[in-house]
Amino acid sequence: NIYGVIPPTWEKLGINVVGRRTVLLDQCLRNTTQTLAFAFNVLVGSFASEGQRVATRKFADVSSLMQRGLISENGDRYNIHFSPRTGPIPVVTACANRCAEIDGTANAIRELITQEKVLPSDILVVYKAHHSFKDRLASKLGEVIGPEYKLRLVDNEHRSNKNLPLIEDGFLTVSTIASAKGYDAPIVFLMGADELAADPQGRASFYVGATRAKLSLYVSGKKQSTPSLLDEILLACQLISSRTSEVSPPIIAPKRASASSMTPPPPAIEKPPVKKACRHCGSDLLHAQHGRFGYFYRWIS
């Protein structure tokens, strides 16, 4: 749908299928509402200049999503209703040149690792093509992660890595957007947004790259002398962040009870704090450890 390609039917493929059912997914648990609203509005060109907006409602399945109430029009943009998760607003940076973009990304990743204690394996860096980044970016990121972690490049010059898991403990992965399709990470850096065209293909590539982020998304690119998709991405981030608000549930006042029917509430029972302990020896000397399937506790020997 995001590439605007009409899916083929079994009949067109010469297969006679009888009694099939159509299953429609109506929730996205991978991305936050903020990331999806940002990426979707760039995908359809909500904030594009005249003539750049995608005109047809078949693109990105807009008409179907609206009929099912999964998105709605709000002036010049679409609101997203199919993601129950919320998170931080995406960060977009326009840099003076490619070196500044690489240095800024490396510094941001260093801060996440050292100050926020984020594991390098929870970070994914994506771009359209590796030609503008391959030398300086790899060396900079190698300095950031240190000797404890390795850098995994997934692109046409490292084809053997395409057969390995994109996200793996002990590695920080740098991948093309095409190779990252189908994967995700808690934190994603989408670099070189200026290299993506403002046509449907370029918008779809941006959407794929942006929606790899499960929690935080950072987008960067090099300023261009002529208008580019990066300018629209900057505008989309500014407008969406300024209009995103939490809707609080209505406050319903309780009915007044008569004095005779009022009974004192039962005394509150303080629950003792839950202590984590080793299930084998009972020791509480534990620390959080990250593994292949998430975080767990390990005993400090």
Side-chain angles (χ1 to χ4, degrees), residues 44-284:
V44 298
S46 296
F47 310 113
S49 57
E50 188 68 25
Q52 291 290 335
R53 180 165 179 155
V54 180
T56 174
R57 292 196 171 211
K58 292 183 178 180
F59 184 76
D61 203 21
V62 170
S63 58
S64 176
L65 292 174
M66 291 191 66
Q67 289 173 4
R68 293 158 57 198
L70 299 180
I71 64 173
S72 61
E73 285 185 296
N74 181 10
D76 57 355
R77 70 168 196 165
Y78 289 103
N79 286 342
I80 301 297
H81 307 301
F82 56 87
S83 175
R85 297 176 54 232
T86 59
I89 297 293
V91 178
V92 182
T93 306
C95 304
N97 51 61
R98 197 67 71 196
C99 290
E101 181 185 7
I102 293 172
D103 292 344
T105 299
N107 291 334
I109 293 177
R110 179 184 287 107
E111 182 176 340
L112 288 172
I113 294 174
T114 57
Q115 298 186 18
E116 304 295 333
K117 306 303 179 183
V118 175
L119 296 174
S121 54
D122 286 338
I123 300 174
L124 173 64
V125 181
V126 296
Y127 42 53
K128 178 185 177 182
H130 67 284
H131 303 291
S132 303
F133 305 93
K134 60 178 182 179
D135 297 325
R136 185 177 178 84
L137 180 61
S139 61
K140 281 289 183 181
L141 294 182
E143 296 173 3
V144 169
I145 61 178
E148 297 182 1
Y149 284 82
K150 296 181 180 179
L151 191 67
R152 175 172 290 171
L153 303 176
V154 184
D155 51 48
N156 289 333
E157 292 189 2
H158 303 83
R159 291 182 177 273
S160 59
N161 289 339
K162 294 186 177 183
N163 298 323
L164 301 173
L166 192 77
I167 307 297
E168 189 174 4
D169 290 343
F171 292 88
L172 189 153
T173 302
V174 181
S175 169
T176 59
I177 294 174
S179 295
K181 195 172 187 295
Y183 292 88
D184 51 48
I187 301 174
V188 169
F189 285 81
L190 197 166
M191 303 181 66
D194 58 284
E195 294 187 340
L196 297 172
D199 58 10
Q201 185 74 22
R203 295 179 184 277
S205 294
F206 172 81
Y207 183 86
V208 171
T211 53
R212 299 312 93 199
K214 293 194 289 185
L215 181 61
S216 297
L217 172 64
Y218 297 81
V219 181
S220 61
K222 183 176 66 172
K223 292 180 181 178
Q224 302 293 316
S225 57
T226 57
S228 67
L229 187 63
L230 178 60
D231 300 313
E232 184 183 333
I233 293 170
L234 278 166
L235 179 60
C237 185
Q238 293 169 1
L239 294 179
I240 288 177
S241 61
S242 65
R243 300 181 187 182
T244 301
S245 61
E246 296 277 341
V247 179
S248 302
I251 300 175
I252 303 175
K255 295 182 178 179
R256 288 182 175 271
S258 62
S260 59
S261 64
M262 293 178 64
T263 57
I269 301 176
E270 293 187 3
K271 296 182 179 180
V274 179
K275 292 185 177 181
K276 299 291 184 180
C278 177
R279 60 184 177 183
H280 298 293
C281 66
S283 173
D284 59 355

Side-chain angles (χ1 to χ4, degrees), residues 14-48:
I15 303 174
N16 184 22
V17 179
V18 180
R20 65 185 185 273
R21 293 184 59 188
T22 301
V23 179
L24 300 175
L25 303 180
D26 58 4
Q27 272 195 332
C28 175
L29 301 178
R30 168 192 284 162
N31 312 116
T32 64
T33 301
Q34 287 77 6
T35 296
L36 278 174
F38 169 59
F40 189 85
N41 280 282
V42 173
L43 173 66
V44 298
S46 296
F47 310 113

